[in-house]
Amino acid sequence: MAKSTAKRPPKSIGKTTSTSITPSKSGIPPAPYSTPPPVLRPFLETLNPEHVYIVHIDSHPKALKQRIFVIPVLMNIAIACLLLWRARVALPNYGRLILVILGYENEFKVNTEQAQWMTLLDVLAGRTFMLFIDFTLAKFVLPWPMEFFVGSPGSPVSWRWSVGFRDEEIVVRKSRKWDQKLGKDWLAEDADGTIYKDRILPAINKKWVKAKTSYLMMDKSWDLDFAGMVTAHELVKQGKASLEDFRKTVIVHSEDHGWIVWPVWKLDEGSEEEARKKIVIFKDKLTAMGKEHLFFRWIELIQFETSQPGGFTSERQTDTMKKAKDLFESQGVDFEQFWNEVGGVDGLPGMEVRGSA
């Protein structure tokens, strides 16, 4: 991402009463951002300007999304059943304790004048432990099923209830609490800046995005905006937008420019085009050397390795690269010299060992 020589606008970090799109006050937004297309305006008006957003299209199979989602459904149902059972057991006891405090007689009342100290200590310890357990459940466990089933403004259940499961789904991610510490000049950072390096670039990494379906993308930096995903799909359903309008894009709010977007999908398309060109150069070079069969042997090797259980991990990519080197050199082709002549191995399937955005 190139630096802009123009003065960079600050990001709004204070509370805002309106999320409407305001016109630019100082011209062109800072690179690589640009003014959002008009078709996105109804969607942007529903977002919180205090957050950073990333949208993209999740193209994983519908069946995979169903299998992944059933796990948190069952887990939260189990937790909810446990909490309901505990409430059924504990609430009557708390009711009796309240009656004792109000002066009524029941089995929870202890005669402190006649009871021995050990008996009093046992009663105190038991009731303290009961309070501690129930407070822990209410404070730390109850929010899980509550957020999952009836969270506001959106929840995983309301999202799936509205959108269902599709082969192509719009994913909307929003920044977590780290966005509260953003300085007013964070947009002035280039791709080597801390925010981009630690938060944004890893989240838009091409391989990482392709490897994970939406529900597996929640981490310490990013959460899913369930209400935003429902809104996006509603706009598509109403014909006010299309899926392509939600291709991989970073969305931020600036005091000077309002909502601005970084269309990352254009970089992905560019890298794919470069990869296609490199494959053509690769094949033509081998053909000119009378080694065209090496190209097809390489294709077979990549197809075999990428189809192995466990996925095409970095370790497997490195091992594949070593096998390709042995294959080339067994045919009298200097592996290092060959790739230097065609522009390196980066970008070719099975030959890159580093992720790319």
Side-chain angles (χ1 to χ4, degrees):
M1 184 174 66
K3 279 188 177 181
S4 173
T5 56
K7 183 179 179 181
R8 309 299 177 94
K11 177 183 181 291
S12 173
I13 58 174
K15 289 189 176 181
T16 305
T17 57
S18 173
T19 59
S20 60
I21 299 175
T22 56
S24 171
K25 300 177 182 178
S26 55
I28 301 174
Y33 297 93
S34 59
T35 303
V39 71
L40 285 181
R41 289 184 178 180
F43 170 72
L44 298 178
E45 289 174 352
T46 67
L47 303 181
N48 185 342
E50 296 181 6
H51 290 306
V52 179
Y53 292 87
I54 299 175
V55 301
H56 77 278
I57 305 300
D58 181 357
S59 299
H60 287 85
K62 179 173 66 174
L64 173 64
K65 295 166 184 171
Q66 292 172 329
R67 289 197 300 271
I68 289 175
F69 193 71
V70 75
I71 296 173
V73 168
L74 295 176
M75 182 183 71
N76 280 280
I77 288 176
I79 293 174
C81 290
L82 172 65
L83 292 173
L84 288 173
W85 170 82
R86 181 56 194 167
R88 182 180 179 183
V89 171
L91 288 179
N93 292 335
Y94 287 111
R96 295 185 185 99
L97 284 174
I98 292 173
L99 290 176
V100 169
I101 294 172
L102 294 176
Y104 292 91
E105 296 283 342
N106 60 43
E107 66 272 25
F108 271 70
K109 185 172 182 178
V110 178
N111 190 330
T112 57
E113 294 180 356
Q114 297 181 1
Q116 297 181 354
W117 279 106
M118 288 303 299
T119 301
L120 293 175
L121 288 174
D122 286 344
V123 170
L124 179 62
R127 294 180 181 179
T128 301
F129 181 72
M130 180 179 71
L131 285 169
F132 172 75
I133 291 297
D134 291 332
F135 173 79
T136 301
L137 290 174
K139 177 70 175 178
F140 300 106
V141 181
L142 179 60
W144 294 354
M146 291 293 291
E147 288 294 326
F148 185 79
F149 290 109
V150 294
S152 179
S155 69
V157 169
S158 65
W159 163 51
R160 283 305 182 193
W161 185 268
S162 299
V163 175
F165 296 91
R166 311 181 185 192
D167 288 324
E168 288 191 317
E169 297 177 352
I170 300 169
V171 180
V172 181
R173 285 177 285 165
K174 63 181 178 181
S175 53
R176 291 192 184 268
K177 292 183 178 180
W178 57 267
D179 57 19
Q180 299 175 2
K181 300 179 181 179
L182 289 177
K184 290 186 176 181
D185 59 346
W186 80 272
L187 279 173
E189 294 184 352
D190 58 16
D192 294 324
T194 302
I195 299 301
Y196 287 97
K197 183 178 179 181
D198 297 341
R199 305 291 188 179
I200 296 179
L201 294 182
I204 61 176
N205 180 283
K206 183 178 178 182
K207 284 188 175 182
W208 189 83
V209 171
K210 283 188 174 182
K212 291 183 178 288
T213 187
S214 57
Y215 205 76
L216 299 179
M217 289 184 162
M218 292 182 287
D219 55 26
K220 64 180 181 180
S221 296
W222 299 93
D223 193 8
L224 289 178
D225 187 339
F226 299 106
M229 292 189 287
V230 171
T231 299
H233 280 282
E234 281 296 322
L235 291 172
V236 173
K237 182 179 179 180
Q238 296 168 7
K240 297 179 180 179
S242 67
L243 282 176
E244 288 192 351
D245 295 321
F246 294 92
R247 286 175 291 182
K248 190 162 63 176
T249 302
V250 178
I251 304 172
V252 301
H253 191 272
S254 162
E255 289 181 352
D256 288 343
H257 301 278
W259 288 107
I260 52 180
V261 299
W262 175 17
V264 183
W265 59 269
K266 293 183 178 179
L267 299 181
D268 289 347
E269 286 190 350
S271 63
E272 291 174 358
E273 180 63 26
E274 287 299 318
R276 285 192 290 268
K277 291 180 179 178
K278 186 167 290 187
I279 289 176
V280 172
I281 296 174
F282 170 35
K283 182 177 182 297
D284 290 346
K285 179 71 174 176
L286 287 174
T287 300
M289 297 171 62
K291 303 287 185 179
E292 186 177 8
H293 66 283
L294 270 180
F295 174 78
F296 298 103
R297 292 283 301 279
W298 174 76
I299 292 293
E300 292 174 358
L301 173 65
I302 299 304
Q303 289 178 339
F304 174 78
E305 294 293 341
T306 55
S307 64
Q308 296 304 298
F312 201 38
T313 62
S314 297
E315 293 77 12
R316 184 161 288 160
Q317 291 178 43
T318 302
D319 185 57
T320 302
M321 193 172 185
K322 292 178 180 177
K323 292 179 180 179
K325 182 177 180 179
D326 293 340
L327 174 63
F328 274 59
E329 294 185 348
S330 68
Q331 298 295 317
V333 178
D334 188 307
F335 187 79
E336 300 294 340
Q337 181 180 347
F338 175 83
W339 288 111
N340 286 335
E341 291 176 356
V342 299
V345 300
D346 287 344
L348 283 172
M351 304 301 287
E352 51 181 4
V353 294
R354 301 179 302 276
S356 58

